[in-house]
Amino acid sequence: MDLVAGLTLTLDHVRDVVSKVPPDDWEQPTNCTPWTASMMLSHLLASQQLWVQTLTGEQLVEIGDVMSPGPLRGDASAETEAVIALATSTWSRPDVLATEYATPFGALTGAQSIVYPIIDALAHSWDLAVCAGLDPELAGELVAVGEAAVAVGVNDTTRGFGLFGAAVETPASASPTSKLMAKTGRARL
């Protein structure tokens, strides 16, 4: 899997979901209690910025902005677009995947780290879609990107950090998207 292309595809999906959330739904509760849709998007964007900060050393957000987000302060689409542009340009830099960085999980290369912004963006765009009553199903290529990222990034260590819940059992008839989200501890309520 081309990791940067996978993140770009994922962030394109985030952009699409955000553009479809009705204006009145930004204060709706999500499946991540007590976060509203606005707080969820604020978290998603701050998480992307935190990973950019890890790669560049430039102070963009505080950890509290990621773990205890407030509601989004500006226009959702404009804020999303700005963060996507920043993330894709940073992750596309030469040698970013081969370089080792100090991360919350210890020293990791960019290639090892990029799975976390992929998983975060996929999971939280799914959360937003479910909250807003949108179709949360991912296209096959996005499911493949998510499966590859989850296989690396969702484990006992990251669950221990509280990043993911315990895997949720799904019926054999569940969609590929539902099965993927279940691995991150998500199920439709």
Side-chain angles (χ1 to χ4, degrees):
M1 168 175 82
D2 179 327
L3 297 167
V4 175
L7 178 62
T8 300
L9 184 65
T10 300
L11 293 175
D12 287 344
H13 175 71
V14 169
R15 176 188 294 117
D16 184 55
V17 170
V18 168
S19 74
K20 293 176 181 172
V21 174
D24 294 341
D25 283 358
W26 286 110
E27 295 313 312
Q28 294 296 316
T30 67
N31 57 332
C32 294
T33 306
W35 292 359
T36 63
S38 178
M39 294 166 77
M40 178 67 68
L41 181 58
S42 181
H43 164 78
L44 187 161
L45 298 177
S47 180
Q48 295 299 317
Q49 291 173 306
L50 183 66
W51 284 103
V52 167
Q53 181 173 302
T54 298
L55 302 180
T56 65
E58 180 184 347
Q59 182 69 39
L60 299 172
V61 293
E62 299 292 332
I63 194 68
D65 298 330
V66 179
M67 302 312 290
S68 299
L72 198 63
R73 294 186 186 112
D75 175 73
S77 291
E79 295 287 326
T80 299
E81 198 59 46
V83 171
I84 287 173
L86 175 66
T88 55
S89 68
T90 302
W91 283 103
S92 297
R93 292 180 180 176
D95 299 324
V96 76
L97 296 178
T99 303
E100 190 171 87
Y101 303 94
T103 79
F105 313 116
L108 297 175
T109 64
Q112 294 167 312
S113 301
I114 198 170
V115 299
Y116 299 106
I118 289 172
I119 297 166
D120 193 75
L122 280 177
H124 293 314
S125 63
W126 183 88
D127 294 330
L128 287 172
V130 168
C131 170
L134 304 172
D135 180 3
E137 294 301 312
L138 301 172
E141 190 175 14
L142 273 173
V143 171
V145 167
E147 287 286 352
V150 164
V152 173
V154 178
N155 52 52
D156 290 343
T157 300
T158 55
R159 281 192 168 90
F161 276 108
L163 299 181
F164 308 105
V168 176
E169 287 191 42
T170 57
S173 62
S175 72
T177 298
S178 293
K179 290 177 182 178
L180 173 63
M181 290 300 126
K183 292 177 184 177
T184 70
R186 288 171 163 70
R188 289 184 82 165
L189 302 176

